[in-house]
Amino acid sequence: MDKKLRKAIIAGNWKMNMLASGVKTYSEALNNAMPKEPSCEIVLCVPSPLIPALADAARASRINSGAQDLSEHESGAYTGDVSAAMLRDLGVKYVIIGHSERRAYHGEADLTVNAKVTSALAGGLIPVICVGETDEQREKGLTETLVAFQVKAALCGVSADALKGCVIAYEPVWAIGTGKTATAEEAGRMCGFIRDLIKKDFGEKVSNAVSILYGGSMNAKNAAELLARPDIDGGLIGGASLKPEDFALIITAAG
Ligand code: 13P
């Protein structure tokens, strides 16, 4: 399968960092440092209060707006939550769902992840579904079992057509923010494993269309090797996306 037929995506996850007042300076620096005609889709997933500033800055650039979470509900009495419609209204295109930090610190279970995927799709957003094993699960040899369960649960009830528009990010928890990257071989094998799962359940056409990203300490130095793997279609980048020059180098590495 020619990887070029899939969308390459380089997505930054700012997590709970930066301020709205810094967004313009950041995007100017990124625009100056990155290739004028990047071959990949560029996404920045920022905290909700920063979205309007990002949408403003993104208007004249190749940057697409992304959010880091959304409510599984359409509207109503859900204090603190943000709906798909609210994100769409601000020009958001992508939304991260099921990030390991949400699973770990907010008790987000697989059924909630699935409800959020459904909600994102119904609201016209592209879900970036995060899966990945912890260090302990990896040591116990549970990586494939766990990742398979997370993928299947997240996609439960999603149609083959809708799945073509989804993005999956393999983010081993032990590699997030630790500087310990999975080797390109390991990461590529797991992204291929996820593609095979999709192939079994949804058919080859769908599995060939879904973009699968790697996340976990990806940086300007290791990006090219990771992105060269046939089943790695892009990256979900935390720390290194906070520095526009580093993020630009990763975009450049995507070709
Ligand atoms: P780091 O790139 O900081 O390891 O974070 C990865 C991540 O969690 C992206 O969602």
Side-chain angles (χ1 to χ4, degrees):
M1 165 70 194
D2 188 352
K3 175 174 181 178
K4 289 202 181 77
L5 297 175
R6 285 190 292 274
K7 196 158 52 165
I9 300 170
I10 298 296
N13 174 7
W14 281 6
K15 309 194 178 184
M16 200 173 71
N17 293 295
M18 313 278 263
L19 293 172
S21 54
V23 169
K24 191 163 178 268
T25 315
Y26 176 99
S27 9
E28 281 168 3
L30 179 62
N31 282 327
N32 288 336
M34 75 184 191
K36 293 288 159 268
E37 294 294 331
S39 58
C40 59
E41 178 108 332
I42 299 159
V43 184
L44 283 175
C45 298
V46 303
S48 293
L50 277 60
I51 292 171
L54 178 68
D56 253 7
R59 205 159 289 132
S61 80
R62 291 284 305 261
I63 304 168
N64 292 283
S65 302
Q68 298 174 6
D69 183 37
L70 89 168
S71 169
E72 69 212 80
H73 305 288
E74 231 179 280
S75 64
Y78 302 103
T79 303
D81 284 355
V82 172
S83 73
M86 290 169 187
L87 296 175
R88 272 280 285 194
D89 192 42
L90 293 176
V92 168
K93 187 170 170 189
Y94 290 85
V95 58
I96 295 175
I97 296 177
H99 191 281
S100 60
E101 284 148 20
R102 301 242 19 121
R103 294 179 191 256
Y105 309 140
H106 298 269
E108 216 166 276
D110 290 288
L111 286 181
T112 308
V113 171
N114 176 243
K116 289 185 174 189
V117 170
T118 308
S119 176
L121 290 169
L125 297 168
I126 299 174
V128 180
I129 304 160
C130 298
V131 297
E133 80 287 0
T134 62
D135 216 0
E136 202 186 346
Q137 289 160 337
R138 182 182 187 225
E139 271 163 24
K140 290 193 168 146
L142 291 171
T143 300
E144 279 84 357
T145 311
L146 193 273
V147 168
F149 180 78
Q150 287 179 329
V151 171
K152 278 173 186 276
L155 299 179
C156 187
V158 173
S159 72
D161 240 17
L163 178 53
K164 282 191 207 154
C166 294
V167 177
I168 297 180
Y170 170 61
E171 296 207 306
V173 180
W174 50 269
I176 294 178
T178 56
K180 261 202 281 178
T181 324
T183 62
E185 197 187 335
E186 248 177 314
R189 189 181 60 77
M190 280 311 294
C191 290
F193 172 77
I194 293 170
R195 200 176 305 287
D196 280 347
L197 284 175
I198 295 174
K199 186 173 159 187
K200 276 188 206 119
D201 287 351
F202 295 88
E204 191 163 13
K205 241 189 175 158
V206 179
S207 74
N208 282 338
V210 176
S211 294
I212 302 178
L213 317 183
Y214 168 77
S217 299
M218 190 187 270
N219 56 40
K221 287 207 182 92
N222 60 27
E225 199 190 347
L226 286 159
L227 295 170
R229 289 278 150 173
D231 278 308
I232 302 183
D233 303 312
L236 184 54
I237 298 114
S241 73
L242 296 173
K243 293 191 196 121
E245 294 75 16
D246 287 359
F247 195 50
L249 286 171
I250 299 175
I251 293 168
T252 308

